[in-house]
């Protein structure tokens, strides 16, 4: 039986690499990854995939490169995971964020449409950041109120995905994913900053971590659970929008408690410095998702409890730092 072909933008990001692992483990996929040009060729998240996936050069700001990638790969499924994904940075680069995170989705949709194969399925990486200031428990019907250039850009991408579903009859899914993390998370995100910082303190390599607002709460899950949900959405008869979330929310303080407890530290207050440079012009204080629709229709549920997620991340950073010591 011939394999399905999947094209993943953002292949070397956290989710892109986990999705590639998931599809390859299934055994019935050939995986292509879109990678933009960079000065060095080291991509730690996909180093283990060398020879197992095909990398194509392309950029979400470059329409023709996307069309070429679609032609070369002839995909059955396209997962648009590429983005300027760091909310904090979106205030310093609002235009670039809108171009890549917002218009990038439009460009991928247009490349698929231009290519003309109506059977290609499209997944858009939408975000709970689109809910922004809404507060409370959110599902697919909750009104959006984005409050960062990143959130606004994601909302554009979300709506253009729905629009292409409705105006062009495309199979175009939007996964509204709440925060998910893993040992492959970028170092500027708060969970990785904490796991890396706690590991350094544990190994005597640092004496504090500088953070911003410790009172914000997030619905944090484990990325490998979430990429399975993305794939499940793409296997449905009809395309739709789905929330993926754990249904639990935890503050940054809770994350710190769990991370420091893992290395035997109960009172972590002396290890944390607050630095105003990590505060945001507008803060999303609270995110909590209701993934009932995904549970009922897709049969998806998160498998990794919060405590395990924190432990996986701290344990991994201790291992990495010990190897490099
Ligand atoms: P990530 O680790 O930051 O990965 C983003 C990827 O996008 C990277 O591979 C990056 O490539 C690529 N990229 C950036 N600009 C590009 C461009 N101009 N052209 C092509 N590729 C470009 O993000 P993630 O956490 O895996 O998230 C995956 C997607 O889900 C993102 O769209 C994110 O916004 C969205 N999302 C994430 C979460 C979450 O909690 N993780 C929740 C909801 C939605 P480089 O390595 O070259 O920079
Ligand atoms: N990054 C960072 N660094 N965040 C901090 C810090 C710090 O030093 N101190 C406190 N925080 C707080 C932020 O203010 C925010 O309230 C929370 O920690 C989480 O910040 P991030 O880890 O940067 O993630 P995010 O929630 O803004 O965005 C992530 O989740 C979105 C889904 O809701 C990203 O993965 C987005 O791409 C994703 O769409």
């Amino acid at each position: 039986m011939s394999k399905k072909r999947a094209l993943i933008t953002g292949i070397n990001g956290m989710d892109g690499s986990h999705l590639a692992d998931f599809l390859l483990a299934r055994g019935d996929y050939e995986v292509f990854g879109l990678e933009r040009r960079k000065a060095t060729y080291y991509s730690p998240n996909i180093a283990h995939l060398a020879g197992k996936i095909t990398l194509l050069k392309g950029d979400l700001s470059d329409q023709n490169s996307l069309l070429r990638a679609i032609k070369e790969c002839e995909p059955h499924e396209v997962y648009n995971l590429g983005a300027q994904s760091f909310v904090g940075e979106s205030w310093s680069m609002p235009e670039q964020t809108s171009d890549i995170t917002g218009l990038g989705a439009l460009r991928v949709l247009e490349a698929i449409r231009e290519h003309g194969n109506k059977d290609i399925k499209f997944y858009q990486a939408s975000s709970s950041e689109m809910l922004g200031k809404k507060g409370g428990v959110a599902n697919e019907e909750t009104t959006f109120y984005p409050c960062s250039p990143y959130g606004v850009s994601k909302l554009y991408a979300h709506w253009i995905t729905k629009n292409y579903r409705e105006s062009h009859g495309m199979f175009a899914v939007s996964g509204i994913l709440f925060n998910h993390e893993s040992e492959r998370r970028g170092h500027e995100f708060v969970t990785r900053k904490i796991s890396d910082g706690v590991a350094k303190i544990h190994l005597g390599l640092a004496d504090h971590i500088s953070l911003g607002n410790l009172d914000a709460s997030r619905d944090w899950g484990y990325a490998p659970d979430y990429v399975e949900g993305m794939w499940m959405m793409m296997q449905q008869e009809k395309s739709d929008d789905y929330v993926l979330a754990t249904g639990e929310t935890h503050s940054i303080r809770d994350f710190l408690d769990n991370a420091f407890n893992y290395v035997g530290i109960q009172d972590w207050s002396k290890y944390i410095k607050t630095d105003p440079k990590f505060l945001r012009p507008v803060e999303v204080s609270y995110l909590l998702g209701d993934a009932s629709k995904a549970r009922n229709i897709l049969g998806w549920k998160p498998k990794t409890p919060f405590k395990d997620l924190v432990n996986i991340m701290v344990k991994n950073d201790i291992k990495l730092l010990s190897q490099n010591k």
Side-chain angles (χ1 to χ4, degrees), residues 130-194:
M130 303 187 310
L131 294 153
K133 279 190 182 172
K134 280 309 285 184
V137 190
N139 66 17
E140 296 78 3
E141 304 305 321
T142 307
T143 314
F144 299 112
Y145 191 150
C147 48
S148 62
Y150 169 85
V152 173
S153 307
K154 278 287 178 191
L155 192 51
Y156 170 79
H158 173 72
W159 276 106
I160 203 69
T161 299
K162 284 168 86 81
N163 179 264
Y164 271 53
R165 185 193 300 158
E166 289 168 9
S167 30
H168 301 299
M170 282 175 63
F171 186 103
V173 154
S174 181
I176 305 168
L177 271 51
F178 282 65
N179 296 50
H180 46 279
E181 317 290 317
S182 87
E183 58 279 27
R184 297 183 192 167
R185 189 54 139 153
H187 281 83
E188 69 270 64
F189 297 93
V190 77
T191 54
R192 187 69 192 273
K193 240 178 118 172
I194 295 173

Side-chain angles (χ1 to χ4, degrees), residues 10-16 34 36 38 58-61 80-85 100 125-128 150 154 177-181 185 189:
I11 185 72
N12 48 0
M14 177 181 71
D15 285 1
L34 188 90
R36 61 178 166 166
K38 52 184 186 212
D59 197 298
L60 288 165
S61 64
N80 184 37
L81 309 187
Q84 190 302 91
S85 71
I100 305 307
S126 289
S127 164
S128 48
Y150 169 85
K154 278 287 178 191
L177 271 51
F178 282 65
N179 296 50
H180 46 279
E181 317 290 317
R185 189 54 139 153
F189 297 93

Side-chain angles (χ1 to χ4, degrees), residues 85-87 127-129 150 177 179 185 188-190 193 210-213 216 218 252 278 280 283-284 287:
S85 71
F86 186 36
V87 174
S127 164
S128 48
E129 189 67 18
Y150 169 85
L177 271 51
N179 296 50
R185 189 54 139 153
E188 69 270 64
F189 297 93
V190 77
K193 240 178 118 172
S210 292
L211 295 171
N213 175 18
R218 290 291 182 272
I252 316 291
F278 298 116
R280 295 174 177 180
E283 176 65 295
V284 173
L287 287 174

